[in-house]
Amino acid sequence: MQLVSLNIAMPAVVTYGAQSVETGIYKEAVNGPLRLGREQLEGDGQGDRVHHGGPDKAICVYAADHYPYWRDQLGKELPYGAFGENFTVTGWTENQVHIGDIFAVGSAKVQVTQPRQPCYKLAAKHEVKDLALQVQDTGYTGYYFRVIEEGTVEAGQAVQLLERHPLGISVAEANRLQYRDKRDYEGIRRLLEVEALSDSWRESFEKRLDAAQEEQG
């Protein structure tokens, strides 16, 4: 239950197909303490501020536990940060972490807001066309933290659970509702009871419920 790697990158322009895109996905591990602000880590940035970063997605987290699987699946060495995450952690996978859980890392306090949604930039980085879909299908998506209290963080520090959300809806369960069991409306309503859920996921699920109500007349 540790922050094993702290990873940052400023946005860079890369070529994907016939397009030039700006992305901060090329994270690299850094040593020493960094300031964690309300919206991002010191020295870090996002190319697409609509879908990445901001208060609900200040920190992208990925489990070191998944790296052996991906190294075998992709047939290459993968350094921490390879999935564009800021925090590579041990002991906190999608099944173990709940939406709304609160953790302490260094002198900062953070809260789980939603699963990470893999996008085409991950596929572009690793030159695997369907990688975003593979990540989605495995459930090894990672997740996001919002920052409740700013502070200083450093690789090697413990990731300490301070408070479990009482509804106990895991990141894995949120992924199930998003991608597989899209008509589990009871499950969706229960997830929407979690006040810590990010605004973007809340809006998406509320639209799904509204559409279902219209279908039913």
Side-chain angles (χ1 to χ4, degrees), residues 27-39:
K27 309 293 187 194
E28 294 187 356
V30 293
N31 295 316
L34 291 179
R35 182 69 181 172
L36 176 56
R38 288 288 177 181
E39 296 198 10

Side-chain angles (χ1 to χ4, degrees), residues 102-198:
I102 296 174
F103 295 88
V105 187
S107 60
K109 188 183 295 184
V110 295
Q111 184 177 43
V112 181
T113 60
Q114 66 164 79
R116 186 262 190 95
Q117 290 180 276
C119 72
Y120 73 94
K121 292 176 183 177
L122 186 62
K125 176 179 180 179
H126 294 287
E127 299 181 331
V128 178
K129 188 175 181 180
D130 68 341
L131 184 56
L133 182 59
Q134 288 187 48
V135 170
Q136 178 183 305
D137 287 346
T138 59
Y140 299 164
T141 59
Y143 45 91
Y144 284 108
F145 283 150
R146 71 163 51 91
V147 178
I148 297 175
E149 291 182 9
E150 298 180 350
T152 302
V153 296
E154 185 174 0
Q157 292 175 327
V159 181
Q160 179 184 0
L161 177 65
L162 297 180
E163 183 180 329
R164 279 288 194 201
H165 193 277
L167 288 181
I169 300 176
S170 69
V171 169
E173 172 71 356
N175 275 328
R176 180 186 71 81
L177 295 169
Q178 179 73 287
Y179 300 118
R180 297 197 303 278
D181 299 322
K182 297 184 177 182
R183 291 181 175 270
D184 182 354
Y185 301 128
E186 182 178 345
I188 290 172
R189 290 187 185 95
R190 189 165 176 268
L191 177 58
L192 289 172
E193 292 177 16
V194 181
E195 71 289 342
L197 184 68
S198 69

